[in-house]
Amino acid sequence: MTDLQIIGSEEWCIFENLGIPAIKARVDSGAKTSSIQATNIKVVNRGAQEWVKFEVNPLQENRSITIPCEAKLVDRRMVKSSSGISEERLVVRTLVKMGEHKFDLELTLANRDTMEFRMLLGREALMDRFIVNPAESFQVQSFTDDEVNKKYAPFYKEKTGLKIGLLASNPNLYSNKRIMEAAEARGHEIVFLNAELAYMKLDAHSPEIRYRGGNILKEYDAVIPRIKPAVTFYGCALIRQFNTLGVYCQNSAEAISQSRDKLFSSQLFAKNDIHIPITGFAKSPMDTKDLIKMVNGAPLIIKLLESTQGKGVVLAETNKAAESVINAFKSVNTNILVQEFIKEANGQDIRCFVINGKVVASMQRQAEKGEFRANIHQGGKASIIKITPEERKLAQKAAKVLNLAVAGVDIIRSNKGPLLLEVNSSPGLEGIENATGKDLANAMIVAIEKKLRFHN
Ligand SMILES: Nc1ncnc2c1ncn2[C@@H]1O[C@H](COP(=O)(O)OP(=O)(O)OP(=O)(O)O)[C@@H](O)[C@H]1O
Ligand SMILES: [Mg+2]
Ligand SMILES: [Mg+2]
């Protein structure tokens, strides 16, 4: 017993094989296995042996130093988190150095829980080596702040770009992948933020945004909101919070929420002398007949107030059909608008991509045979189109009225001239980049640089 070394409640560990020069561990005899905070965990096969690639932020309250690590995978274990949910944790084995002691250590990769300490040293590591004196710290070896800083000096990246957050839901979407790619290519740091995993502290003195696990999101220069319709309400609250924290948001919460409300945005367009197809809206089914007459009768279009990808857009061919569809929606308290059908468009519409007030790309969409909706999701085919100066002006004005820095503006060609159909605040990139060959993701990042007067 007597030749066991005494250790304190916190100690420095060195992992030469992982490339971690020093990491402070909480000695935790309550835990069997040791654990380390790890993100971006990936299992890779090397012959018969499985390895794990992961990243460690070894310093407390410092996410700017990230060390990419690799170690042998030795086990997968189910652990119960404090909230009672079981999840799989990977266990790796690697060499640790603590003062004169060098030994193989099993480490659980803890990817989610908030860890004040980036590492816990459990019983297995202590057994037959150390005796814990919880009243003391750094009994094995101790480093001054200066020494720690020196060890980490090579890891400090010189900050050359902006720090951008992509506030969205699915990192695998074409548009999101392209935006991440474009920001990185221009030398910025971009972080994918799942809107539903962020939460806020509302406080006059120290407002915050935190992320699942407890990290505080700070030092962001800009946020690109790509909020899906299902999370508009919460996403916009987050954007306002980023704004409060002084972060530039490429589209504002106000602009996004008003563009999502087809009735409200139609009112804004009408008020600003932007031509739209004749549109009616009524609360009561008592007036349905007159509502139909008001938009010049069938065939007419019925639209759910909040819809995308053409899913909530219906063509009613006769007055009778229109009346029953309208009243059916009303009987389930669904808000709809009724609109004159632009037959002469022949299933075509025009999508203009507007950035900072300019149309930067445009395409024509042609509906599938037998379909009037030109949406790509409804089988529409895209092609390049040269828009008229009038259409360009219409698109730019619509984006301006809604105060959107990035907008997808849909226009339909009618006998009365171009009419505005709607404006999208998170226009998709795939269809229009493929059709036009333009790098719109790059244009979005350049637009942020311009707004922030950033020069590299
Ligand atoms: N009044 C109309 N007359 C003729 N065709 C129309 C009319 N309104 C819509 N369409 C067709 O239906 C498609 C879908 O309509 P709209 O863009 O209003 O709906 P959406 O579901 O919001 O689509 P998005 O995915 O573009 O947000 C349009 O792109 C157009 O091709
Ligand atoms: Mg829409
Ligand atoms: Mg549309």
Side-chain angles (χ1 to χ4, degrees):
M1 277 300 268
T2 41
D3 51 1
L4 297 187
Q5 153 129 39
I6 292 177
I7 68 169
S9 60
E10 42 189 332
E11 292 291 345
W12 288 103
C13 294
I14 297 168
F15 293 97
E16 279 163 2
N17 295 348
L18 298 182
I20 300 176
I23 182 167
K24 209 190 273 180
R26 152 75 72 207
V27 175
D28 180 9
S29 57
K32 183 164 173 274
T33 318
S34 304
S35 56
I36 193 163
Q37 169 266 354
T39 50
N40 294 329
I41 301 170
K42 248 184 244 137
V43 177
V44 288
N45 284 312
R46 300 241 166 90
Q49 175 66 46
E50 284 184 310
W51 283 68
V52 193
K53 288 186 170 192
F54 54 98
E55 291 178 353
V56 173
N57 302 120
L59 299 182
Q60 283 165 267
E61 282 162 26
N62 182 342
R63 306 271 304 182
S64 66
I65 290 186
T66 302
I67 299 186
C69 303
E70 280 188 25
K72 267 187 195 156
L73 177 66
V74 294
D75 201 6
R76 292 178 154 92
R77 284 177 207 156
M78 294 306 287
V79 292
K80 244 195 190 132
S81 72
S82 49
S83 51
I85 300 165
S86 288
E87 48 181 270
E88 190 191 66
R89 290 279 171 81
L90 302 182
V91 182
V92 298
R93 186 182 297 124
T94 189
L95 193 71
V96 64
K97 206 172 125 194
M98 295 177 68
E100 299 305 309
H101 300 262
K102 257 189 180 181
F103 55 97
D104 265 338
L105 180 64
E106 282 194 358
L107 278 175
T108 305
L109 303 183
N111 57 342
R112 274 173 65 170
D113 295 1
T114 334
M115 291 177 78
E116 188 206 343
F117 281 83
R118 294 305 162 86
M119 190 191 150
L120 297 179
L121 201 64
R123 277 198 307 280
E124 275 172 356
L126 307 177
M127 219 106 69
D128 303 326
R129 273 184 206 104
F130 302 119
I131 292 179
V132 186
N133 177 358
E136 296 291 339
S137 289
F138 310 119
Q139 297 295 295
V140 177
Q141 67 189 337
S142 133
F143 301 129
T144 63
D145 284 353
D146 268 359
E147 284 169 325
V148 174
N149 283 339
K150 227 187 202 152
K151 286 176 190 291
Y152 278 101
F155 294 93
Y156 276 102
K157 275 189 283 181
E158 207 184 311
K159 195 180 169 201
T160 51
L162 297 167
K163 183 166 174 183
I164 303 173
L166 174 58
L167 191 63
S169 292
N170 181 356
N172 297 319
L173 278 188
Y174 174 94
S175 300
N176 292 335
K177 286 202 280 202
R178 287 281 300 114
I179 292 168
M180 301 283 292
E181 219 171 74
E184 272 162 15
R186 297 190 63 83
H188 305 301
E189 180 190 350
I190 183 157
V191 183
F192 185 87
L193 301 171
N194 184 331
E196 284 159 286
L197 301 188
Y199 49 102
M200 306 161 247
K201 175 178 157 201
L202 310 182
D203 175 65
H205 300 291
S206 58
E208 281 174 3
I209 301 180
R210 297 191 180 207
Y211 201 69
R212 174 73 50 84
N215 281 320
I216 299 178
L217 303 182
K218 50 186 179 193
E219 282 153 16
Y220 280 81
D221 299 298
V223 160
I224 303 174
R226 300 284 298 186
I227 304 293
K228 64 177 180 187
V231 286
T232 302
F233 182 74
Y234 188 68
C236 285
L238 271 172
I239 296 166
R240 282 192 293 275
Q241 183 81 351
F242 271 112
N243 212 251
T244 302
L245 295 170
V247 180
Y248 168 70
C249 298
Q250 194 165 31
N251 276 339
S252 72
E254 197 195 5
I256 294 169
S257 50
Q258 64 195 18
S259 76
R260 291 271 155 95
D261 179 340
K262 280 190 201 241
L263 180 62
F264 184 55
S265 45
S266 302
Q267 288 178 311
L268 277 178
F269 300 142
K271 187 174 151 189
N272 287 280
D273 203 26
I274 293 173
H275 295 277
I276 61 172
I278 302 170
T279 302
F281 180 78
K283 179 84 188 121
S284 161
M286 307 274 286
D287 304 302
T288 302
K289 280 201 169 79
D290 193 44
L291 194 69
I292 292 173
K293 233 198 276 166
M294 203 174 78
V295 301
N296 298 337
L300 57 75
I301 297 277
I302 299 160
K303 288 185 189 180
L304 297 181
L305 275 201
E306 282 177 49
S307 96
T308 57
Q309 305 175 351
K311 279 179 279 200
V313 183
V314 183
L315 174 65
E317 313 252 13
T318 64
N319 285 345
K320 213 73 236 97
E323 202 178 330
S324 38
V325 174
I326 294 169
N327 288 343
F329 276 130
K330 287 204 190 302
S331 73
V332 288
N333 269 324
T334 304
N335 283 321
I336 50 162
L337 51 79
V338 179
Q339 197 168 70
E340 81 176 295
F341 176 53
I342 310 298
K343 189 162 182 268
E344 62 272 25
N346 283 324
Q348 292 177 342
D349 76 355
I350 296 167
R351 160 62 60 94
C352 298
F353 205 100
V354 180
I355 300 179
N356 284 357
K358 293 262 172 320
V359 173
V360 291
S362 47
M363 64 169 167
Q364 182 169 61
R365 294 179 297 200
Q366 168 74 56
E368 233 175 11
K369 222 168 146 227
E371 170 64 69
F372 72 96
R373 294 166 299 178
N375 304 64
I376 308 273
H377 286 271
Q378 301 297 338
K381 291 273 168 302
S383 56
I384 314 186
I385 190 182
K386 194 167 163 46
I387 55 170
T388 65
E390 193 187 356
E391 287 159 350
R392 181 176 300 273
K393 250 172 65 193
L394 177 64
Q396 295 178 0
K397 190 167 177 190
K400 191 170 169 200
V401 161
L402 288 181
N403 198 18
L404 287 166
V406 173
V409 181
D410 293 347
I411 292 174
I412 193 161
R413 285 178 173 168
S414 81
N415 293 336
K416 301 180 264 185
L419 301 175
L420 182 72
L421 270 188
E422 66 155 351
V423 181
N424 285 285
S425 58
S426 296
L429 297 178
E430 188 166 13
I432 195 158
E433 283 197 336
N434 284 334
T436 62
K438 292 204 170 138
D439 189 343
L440 297 176
N442 181 68
M444 286 174 67
I445 304 298
V446 172
I448 292 176
E449 294 172 9
K450 281 213 177 109
K451 285 271 178 192
L452 296 178
R453 297 174 201 285
F454 172 85
H455 304 284
N456 217 338

